[in-house]
Amino acid sequence: MKIIVQKYGGTSVGTPERIIAVAGRIKSYVQKGNSVVVVVSAMGKTTDHLIDLAKQIAKSPSPREMDMLLSTGEQVSIALLAMALHDKGVDAISYTGSQVRVMTDGNFSEAKIESIATDRIMKSLEEGKVVIVAGFQGIDDEENITTLGRGGSDTTAVALAAVLKTRDCEIYTDVDGVFTADPRVVPNAKKLKEISYDEMLELARLGAGVLHSRSVEFAKKYNIKITVRSSFNYEEGTIVMPKEEMMEKFVVSGVTAKTDEAKITIWNLEDRPGIAAKLFGRMGEAKIYINMIVQSTGHDGKASISFTVLKKDLAKAMELAEKLKNELGGSAVESKENIAIVSAVGVGMLSSYGVAGRMFKVLADSNINIEMISTSEIGISCCIDGKFAELAQRVIHQEFVESAA
Ligand code: ADP
Ligand code: ASP
Ligand code: MG
């Protein structure tokens, strides 16, 4: 029995007509003799609407109830897709995350999958059914409903491919594959035929919303071949694969931006061993995720530190930063919400030089000031003013992708 896992995102199942079209596509795979496991997201912008609804009811809704609420979006789409398949004469059954025991930790809204039972899915597949599983949701060991973080249905799909021991996982979305930049921001972006796990992981972490980063981590760990493609046409899409299997290696294969972070600066902290350890240790204890960090060179026994946190944690992080400023001899705390972190990613950087200099130059030529810089083996990121987020992506893309072609 050849099992394939397919995931259809929100736009792909956004209307009744789309759900019927997706059912038609699934039917064609069934007719070719495949056993198909389908993961679906909530219809269109349902998840956003549910979040808005909660905000109208309470200022800070309970995380448990929030996950209870958000998981309903996927429950609607799995049932409708099953009905659409039945209507086409295809036997199908839908399951929620809890029904197939997608077990997660108890970290509401960002839960991690720990295991998935396969017995119920396998039994239904053996009975000749298409199995439809709700994406983005699971349960913790006290049977509370949890969700996996925005965009988490991708991770449900790849985790299912791993436990069902198939290498094939197709992620159907509203663009033709993974592009060299978000095609909605950079009109000249090109579709990539293939991309390595490491590049895709870096791009996803740095803001490319096309895949949930944890799905790429799973794919790398279990050697699953993800194909990202459109549910609106039959183009080939992009294959996410090990870099050893790749034919082409670009210096920069993707440009992206992250706009969900904010910057905090603590001025004139004492410049002595242990200050950064204390500052970031306490942030960690408060479960505040830190991304970029820069420390100024010490002067007169004082040094300033800037770092970025998720916007959603800003109020909490500022409160703590104020306290730490007083404890660690700082003079002031400042925050800036409208920032963007723009990045260029490519495995080819491992064997090239001058990439950072070129990136800084095109930003400078556009009069964009760089506020922080960080690098990894295959990526360079610059923190800039948020108003330049789109322009920066376009000029970096122009330099590395369009001019290189
Ligand atoms: P789905 O609901 O199918 O999961 P998403 O909205 O989560 O869809 O992801 C698809 C979107 O990701 C595209 O519409 C596109 O605007 C955006 N995107 C961002 N970066 C990229 C990229 N490098 N390549 C392709 N799409 C990207
Ligand atoms: N419906 C969820 C979201 O909008 C999960 C997903 O689409 O992958 O984030
Ligand atoms: Mg998505």
Side-chain angles (χ1 to χ4, degrees), residues 237-311:
T238 304
I239 302 176
V240 189
M241 54 161 70
K243 65 171 170 283
E244 297 72 34
E245 290 176 23
M246 282 176 50
M247 308 287 289
E248 289 184 294
K249 294 193 175 75
F250 299 110
V251 174
V252 170
S253 50
V255 176
T256 186
K258 220 171 167 331
T259 50
D260 61 347
E261 296 189 14
K263 184 173 88 166
I264 296 179
T265 304
I266 311 184
W267 296 97
N268 302 315
L269 288 162
E270 286 170 36
D271 188 18
R272 61 172 167 84
I275 294 289
K278 183 125 192 209
L279 169 57
F280 294 109
R282 291 273 288 279
M283 291 281 166
E285 280 163 24
K287 295 205 165 123
I288 294 167
Y289 163 86
I290 309 277
N291 181 8
M292 286 180 134
I293 301 175
V294 282
Q295 179 175 331
S296 66
T297 316
H299 186 68
D300 289 340
K302 297 280 182 185
S304 302
I305 293 186
S306 295
F307 53 95
T308 64
V309 300
L310 290 172
K311 277 185 184 151

Side-chain angles (χ1 to χ4, degrees), residues 124-138:
S124 296
L125 288 176
E126 277 155 16
E127 288 165 1
K129 294 184 168 77
V130 169
V131 174
I132 306 165
V133 179
F136 174 60
Q137 56 177 259

Side-chain angles (χ1 to χ4, degrees), residues 25-45:
R25 187 164 201 135
I26 295 168
K27 181 175 180 174
S28 71
Y29 281 87
V30 173
Q31 283 172 331
K32 283 183 212 142
N34 298 292
S35 292
V36 188
V37 175
V38 182
V39 173
V40 272
S41 295
M43 291 173 71
K45 302 230 166 289

Side-chain angles (χ1 to χ4, degrees), residues 2 57 66 68 84 120 182 192 224 226 239 243 264 271 275 282 307 319 343 345 348:
K2 182 174 170 348
I57 302 281
M66 203 62 197
M68 179 69 94
R120 204 160 176 185
D182 185 341
L192 293 160
I224 288 156
I226 302 181
I239 302 176
K243 65 171 170 283
I264 296 179
D271 188 18
I275 294 289
R282 291 273 288 279
F307 53 95
E319 205 177 301
S343 308
V345 170

